Every structure is written in structure tokens, then in C-alpha cells.
Amino acid sequence: MKDRQALLRRLPSVDSLLARSEVQQLVRDYSRDLVVGAIRWQLNEARRAILASALVDIGEGALVQGAAGELRRQQKSTLSPVINATGVIIHTNLGRALLSKSAQAAILAAAGVYNTLEFDLETGKRGSRLAQASGILRDLTGAEDALVVNNNASALILILSGLAKGRQVIISRGQLVEIGGGFRIPAILSESGAELVEVGTTNRTRIADYEDGLSEGSAMLLRVHSSNFKQVGFVEQPSLQELTALAREHGLLAVDDLGSGALLDTARFGLDHEPTIQESVAAGVDLVCFSGDKLLGGPQAGIIVGKADALARLKRHPLARALRVDKLTYAALIATLEHYRRDEALEQIPVWRMISRSPNDIRTTAERWAAQVGGAVVSGESTVGGGSLPGTALPTALLALECDSPNRALEKLRGADPPVIARIAENRVLLDPRTVLPEQEADLLTALESVI
């Protein structure tokens, strides 16, 4: 006990540590209050260590280093860049779709100067932000009008609240999906004030089931695309054209929730065909809603396209203001959509560049990594992710590393700067070049050399 007390008495004061030249530099880099707080934290840690029988004389230099490390930890953003070596292209946990260089530049441009978010240059009067992306969305999809809100779940809530509140929405039991994060279609319907009417069975629903579910209170036929799961075997669903025709016959609205929102045909790349926005519009539905940050490859947004009269009603609804997006989202979205209009999506939008990357090109990259850090190159699969195209995969080449403890290796890779996110299979650490950006390769290899 006497030894502990002696060590405690030898701990320096806050003021004596503040007088050191390296601490004065910390004060200039951060602030006096932050540095004092970090020093006090480090001194408390030292006291706890001594009282826990760690009879080590902790010098001033070690205390200063500990305080400096605490300051760096405090200042580090919780939204940190990482290297995605998992092979999951639209990785929800890692921020979903990456933005193109043009979209990134558009955000910076919109953020740094005043702009025409709600200003009409021709009249010199106030304009409407709701018209910002409408023109290019009409051109690309063939729809009469468009509206952008903050995500696809809010797009669906706005549609149901604005067009079916207090009335019945008919949906197949096979489409009562959970869209992620515990959000379920029945719960969204309930919150919107619409009444859910389930028809058909889990695996088979026919157009006659929808017709049998109609009543005086019916307002809408809703199709929810099963973008995050797949039904196989003895299954049946009516076509979108059949649903639209039935809705027209009875004066109802036909709405299609596509979820992922593809503007390109995924079958071109060996994947299953994902229903496109253009196909839904061509089928004659009143409204189609989808995400901006999945297969579209843009910022987080919920996009609604369709008939002008239905969208006009939504734009007047009070929720439209509550769910509206800001100038940065519009800037990134419009820049992303321009890539489609210019037929350059495969080259410029990271999601599509990764999807369309050839297996041979990926193998060449994996072999280059193996030549530098060791390991074997093996065949594997990449996935699209983000609740898109479940059960389908893209052929890839993986760098496979043998480790005594793969889980410990992953932990160390997550501690690199920047962190590397990889995966484990058959007791090996696997890294997929498909989702690693070219400018991140040097950092990845440095991390691998220091960890593996």
C-alpha cells in the first residue's frame, strides 16, 4: 500500500504537464479546455492502474502521449471512411451506393455558393424545390411527373397517407415484406392511416383474388416488389398490366413499390432481371416509388414517378414538406441521373462500374495483391447487396489468406487506418477486389502487410 501511495504522490499536476512544450503544441492544435480535459482523463487512468496493483512508475512522457491519443480519439469522426473488401457492392452497413465523381463535385458546388433551390430566374420570384429533378426523371422513365423525398419508406408513407388514408389498400399476402431495419409493410400501412386488405396466399395470388378483395372502401392496388428475397417453386403473381387494368376498371389507383429502382437491365451482366422503372411506367401504373441509393447509384432518396394528377395531390400534402430533401441531395441526384441520360452509367456510376467489371480484370488485381502480400487467388462470388437481387451473384476472384486466427486478423484489419472490412470463409480471410476502389489499393496492401 505504501508503494502505491508513493506512486500516486509522484503523479504530476495538470499545471506541470501543461508547462511542457509538447503539451503547449497540443493546446495550439486543439484548445486549452480540450487538452486539460484529456490530461485529467489520463491522470485518472494512471491512478486507477496504480490502485489496481499495476505498480509501474508512469512518467510524464507517457502521460502526455496518452492525453494526445485521447485527443485524437475524441476528434475522430464516427462517420469514418473504410475499405470495403467484402465484395458486397451496395453494402447497407458501409453507406450503400458510392457517388460518382460528378455527383461528389455537384455536392461541393451546391454547398459552397448560393443557388436556385427555390428561385425562378425567369420571373425573379420564389420557385419550388419539388421541381428540381422532375424534368430529367420524366425524360429517363417516361413518366408524366416526379417527386423526391428522403427515402423509399417515406415515399410509400406519403403515397398511402396522401391517396388512401381511411380507405382500403389491397395487397398480396406474398408481398407483406420487411424492408430492412425491422420496418414492415403492414406497419407502414397502419401508420399511414390506410386499411390493409390481404388477398391470395403466401406463394400464389391471382388477379381474381384482388377482384374478390374489392369493396366500396377500396382506394388502391399495391404491388411491393420482393427485392430483398426470392420465392421459387409453386408461386404465382398477376402481372403489373393485369393489376393496372383492374384498377382502371374500378376507378382505383395502381401503385408499384419497386424498392431498388433499376434504370438498366441487370440481366445484361449475368444477374436475374430486376424490374425496371421504365417497365412499370409503361405498364400504366399511377405511381412507382424506388430508392435513390441502391441500383440507381445515387444519394439516399425516395423517388416517386407517375401520373401528373396523382403527383399533384402528393405535392400538396403536408407530409411532402416534412419529407422533402435538401440542395445537396438534389445536386447529387441530378448529377447521377445525367450519367444515365448521357449513356455513361457503366463508366461513371460506381455501383454499375463494379457490377459490370470483368472477372478477368478482377483476377489480375487479386494476383497483383497476392504477389505483394502472399496468399492464394481463388474463385468466388460477389453480391449486389442493399436488398437487391437476392440469391444471385457475380463471379469474382478473391485473395485468400491463411491465418492462425481469422477473427483476430479481421479485428486487426478493422483497426487499420483506414479500416479494412473483409470476410471469412473456410477459416480463411477473403478480400474481393471488386469493391475496393483503385485509389484505396495502396492503403489496403499496407494494412495487409502489417497485419497478416
Side-chain angles (χ1 to χ4, degrees):
M1 179 62 75
K2 290 182 179 180
D3 290 339
R4 294 179 192 171
Q5 292 301 323
L7 289 173
L8 288 172
R9 284 194 296 272
R10 278 204 291 271
L11 287 174
S13 67
V14 173
D15 286 339
S16 66
L17 289 175
L18 281 171
R20 293 174 65 99
S21 60
E22 62 265 48
V23 177
Q24 286 299 306
Q25 183 60 50
L26 290 176
V27 170
R28 288 188 288 271
D29 291 342
Y30 297 93
S31 74
R32 181 183 174 82
D33 288 345
L34 287 175
V35 172
V36 168
I39 289 174
R40 286 175 175 161
W41 176 86
Q42 186 61 41
L43 287 170
N44 286 333
E45 289 294 301
R47 291 187 188 98
R48 276 195 288 270
I50 292 169
L51 291 173
S53 299
L55 300 179
V56 178
D57 196 353
I58 302 175
E60 288 192 359
L63 291 168
V64 171
Q65 288 180 5
E70 173 63 9
L71 286 167
R72 289 192 296 271
R73 187 192 66 78
Q74 291 176 0
Q75 296 299 302
K76 189 174 181 180
S77 171
T78 57
L79 191 63
S80 304
V82 301
I83 298 174
N84 176 14
T86 66
V88 181
I89 296 170
I90 308 172
H91 201 307
T92 297
N93 296 345
L94 302 182
R96 284 194 179 170
L98 303 185
L99 296 180
S100 71
K101 298 295 185 185
S102 295
Q104 296 172 43
I107 288 176
L108 288 175
V113 296
Y114 295 108
N115 53 63
T116 56
L117 178 66
E118 292 187 357
F119 188 80
D120 189 322
L121 288 173
E122 291 187 6
T123 65
K125 298 180 180 179
R126 180 172 181 168
S128 172
R129 75 173 65 194
L130 300 183
Q132 283 294 336
S134 296
I136 190 167
L137 283 167
R138 289 196 301 267
D139 292 346
L140 290 172
T141 67
E144 295 177 3
D145 201 2
L147 173 63
V148 180
V149 293
N150 53 29
N151 62 26
N152 193 46
S154 61
L156 185 56
I157 284 180
L158 177 59
I159 290 170
L160 296 169
S161 299
L163 304 176
K165 187 173 184 178
R167 302 188 67 194
Q168 296 174 346
V169 175
I170 304 173
I171 184 173
S172 166
R173 285 188 174 88
Q175 296 170 11
L176 296 176
V177 305
E178 183 174 309
I179 59 176
F183 293 98
R184 297 178 173 182
I185 292 298
I188 291 175
L189 275 157
S190 176
E191 288 297 319
S192 71
E195 179 186 346
L196 171 67
V197 176
E198 304 174 23
V199 298
T201 63
T202 301
N203 61 318
R204 303 200 84 184
T205 303
R206 303 175 179 85
I207 194 65
D209 295 317
Y210 283 89
E211 192 158 16
D212 290 342
L214 297 177
S215 72
E216 292 278 333
S218 299
M220 182 183 297
L221 304 184
L222 174 63
R223 184 185 83 158
V224 178
H225 173 51
S226 56
S227 59
N228 60 359
F229 73 100
K230 180 190 291 186
Q231 286 186 325
V232 296
F234 194 57
V235 296
E236 180 181 354
Q237 287 287 342
S239 69
L240 203 52
Q241 288 82 356
E242 289 178 290
L243 284 179
T244 301
L246 181 63
R248 293 285 173 274
E249 181 182 348
H250 295 273
L252 308 178
L253 294 170
V255 174
D256 191 19
D257 178 1
L258 276 181
S260 296
L263 283 170
L264 300 180
D265 183 5
T266 53
R268 293 167 52 186
F269 311 102
L271 296 164
D272 289 347
H273 173 70
E274 181 78 0
T276 66
I277 303 155
Q278 301 95 313
E279 289 169 350
S280 295
V281 171
V285 297
D286 294 279
L287 296 171
V288 187
C289 62
F290 52 95
S291 296
D293 58 344
K294 292 185 178 180
L295 285 173
L296 191 74
Q300 177 181 300
I303 303 169
I304 309 170
V305 300
K307 305 294 186 184
D309 54 350
L311 278 156
R313 291 169 62 188
L314 294 183
K315 291 178 180 181
R316 293 193 298 267
H317 195 276
L319 271 180
R321 180 176 179 84
L323 301 175
R324 69 183 185 176
V325 299
D326 72 339
K327 60 188 177 185
L328 305 184
T329 301
Y330 276 121
L333 177 61
I334 292 169
T336 301
L337 294 171
E338 282 291 350
H339 293 311
Y340 289 98
R341 180 145 65 182
R342 296 171 184 168
D343 197 23
E344 60 185 23
L346 298 185
E347 296 79 26
Q348 300 299 326
I349 297 177
V351 164
W352 288 105
R353 191 167 63 239
M354 292 177 186
I355 287 175
S356 60
R357 189 176 176 186
S358 74
N360 287 338
D361 182 43
I362 296 172
R363 180 168 289 275
T364 298
T365 301
E367 290 171 347
R368 185 171 66 249
W369 293 358
Q372 181 165 338
V373 301
V377 177
V378 299
S379 296
E381 293 182 336
S382 310
T383 57
V384 175
S388 304
L389 295 158
T392 60
L394 293 159
T396 193
L398 306 167
L399 175 63
L401 300 170
E402 301 283 352
C403 307
D404 292 336
S405 174
N407 284 312
R408 178 60 179 154
L410 285 194
E411 182 181 341
K412 289 183 177 181
L413 286 172
R414 293 196 302 272
D417 185 19
V420 176
I421 314 300
R423 56 190 170 100
I424 296 173
E426 298 178 352
N427 212 36
R428 295 182 296 182
V429 173
L430 302 179
L431 301 105
D432 191 336
R434 187 186 294 275
T435 52
V436 176
L437 301 176
E439 58 268 29
Q440 293 179 319
E441 279 194 29
D443 286 335
L444 170 69
L445 295 173
T446 298
L448 291 175
E449 287 177 329
S450 65
V451 168
I452 304 300

